[in-house]
Amino acid sequence: MCGIIGYWGKRDASKVLFEGLKKLSYRGYDSWGLCTSSENRFSISKAVENIEHTDIDFSRFAGNIGIGHTRWATHGGVSEANAHPHLCPLEKIAVVHNGVIENFQALRTELKSKGHKFKSETDTEVIPHLIREYMNQDTGFVDAVRTALLRIEGSFAVVAINAEDDIMVASRRGSPLVVGIGDNEYFAASDIPAFLEHTKSVMYLYDNDVAIINDGVYVYNLSDMQPVRREVDSIEWDVEKSMKGEFSHFMLKEIAEQSETIKRASEQDPEKIKRIATWINNAKGIFFVACGSSYHACLSASYIFSAVAKMHINVVYASEFRYYKNFLCNETLVIAVSQSGETADVLDAVKTAKEKGSKVLSIVNNMGSSLMRTSHHTLHMNAGPEICVLSTKTYTSQLAVMTLLAYACIGNHNEGKSVLDVAQNQVYNLTSRSTRDHIKGLADILKDKDNIFTIGRGLQYPTALEAALKIKEVTYIHAEGFAAGELKHGSIALIEKGTPVIAFVSPVNEKETVSNVMEVKARGAYIIGIGPNNNEIYDYFIKVPETSYFDPITQIIPIQILAYKLAVLRNCNPDKPRNLAKSVTVR
Ligand code: F6R
């Protein structure tokens, strides 16, 4: 994970980098560091803290070139020594890195045998040392960076600078890196919001690209240094969309945006949707692959495809997909769903699918992401930047896109779109202040609980799983989701007096679900009912009007709000839960 940024231009680099890192801190916030270069020397600052809560003394820095990093620890503990940038032994080369160097131990041993001494436990530190090693052999800086990167096994997005000249080098393999092109100034960062306030012109780097930034951006292939041409795109996101505005947290802002983002997700090019529906209809075997919340969206969609299009779709965790490879052939369609488009497990699954000749469609939010570039076709969710680490608006956008596809498969794209319009209005009401206040009442009741269980049947089952994930990841209350009929097969042993059980109910499964609710109520559970109809056995009721196949979109909204309210009441940071990061680029 981690966020990296490089700046080459005319401004005070430390200020640009510091603000950029704040925007990237959703990618990791264990520690941060930045380094600027001026007159053959570096100014460096590092700290073990979330950069969002920091002030720094900019007068300590000089120069218009620099790099910065915000860390999600993988190799080595959370310490100042392990914070990036890492330097070469002469402290004239500085490097920031996002990714994992799989052969770092072998490289470290080799470098140690040549007299190199390391100051950190990180894998990254081998990079500036290797660069120095090659520069000692009379190789220029750019070639030394390139030779060092060619030795790396694993993934990287790297920005390197040299105190002794004005060149910045940026390169990637398997981790995201995008170049921003301003007016005589250039940026290289893990994600666009890092420099969005300065430019909307972006160049997406591909795997094994190396960009040399020196009064312009020159891109080459890392292996043979042949020039490669990369388009400059203009992006539509505005700065406003990547700011909190009047909201106290991004999580709340992104929850509130959902009626708008569902609308945007539903506005797909009809011809493209029709084409994709034909591939789905003609495929021999279809797999949804995803992780976490995106997996839950896929599971919901599999029920919707079954009900609307009478079609069977296999749903597989991306990290498990390789074990299904014997079922793949060149007529299989793999639909990879990921908000970031950078999740390593998803990218691995796509690789497996392509090795077997299968066709890959991706549903992605981040334009230019690795997944988008590696799949044969992409549908864009259009949700705009999601900054909170938790998926909220991208989850409902994924649901919207997949549900639209289910309708398109039976030639009813328009019907899908009109039902989505209804869902969108419901979501608008569900995110209103009065609903939020009602849910705050529930949060007050649940805030000191140790366990929460969520249950549902049919379409409500994946929602129960997603609800449990939302609650646990941001409140740290243990939460578990179940198919309502499964509780009695063992887990009911955990129910005791006062245990909260949240039941998602639809008129189509009300009788059966309510009877499962009775079973836990009889053992003392505190019941929260979510659905269109109140029932006397509920201790707390949240009304969500029936929306048929769009229930997964509407019924999750109160839980997103509940998770947010609980996090605030329990003094947890809703935007940056502990141990998590937005893009999971490790396996
Ligand atoms: C939960 C959450 C994660 C992601 C998962 C997949 O709120 O955000 O579970 O859904 O890491 O991420 P993407 O969709 O980027 O592949």
Side-chain angles (χ1 to χ4, degrees), residues 291-294 338-340 343 389-391 469-470 473 584:
C291 307
S293 292
S294 301
S338 169
Q339 63 80 22
S340 62
T343 303
V389 167
L390 278 78
S391 302
L469 179 60
K470 282 289 91 78
E473 67 184 334
V584 186

Side-chain angles (χ1 to χ4, degrees), residues 287-290 298 334-338 346 350 360-364 371:
F287 286 84
F288 280 143
V289 293
C298 289
V334 172
I335 305 183
V337 181
S338 169
V346 177
V350 167
V360 178
L361 165 72
S362 57
I363 300 179
V364 178
L371 179 58

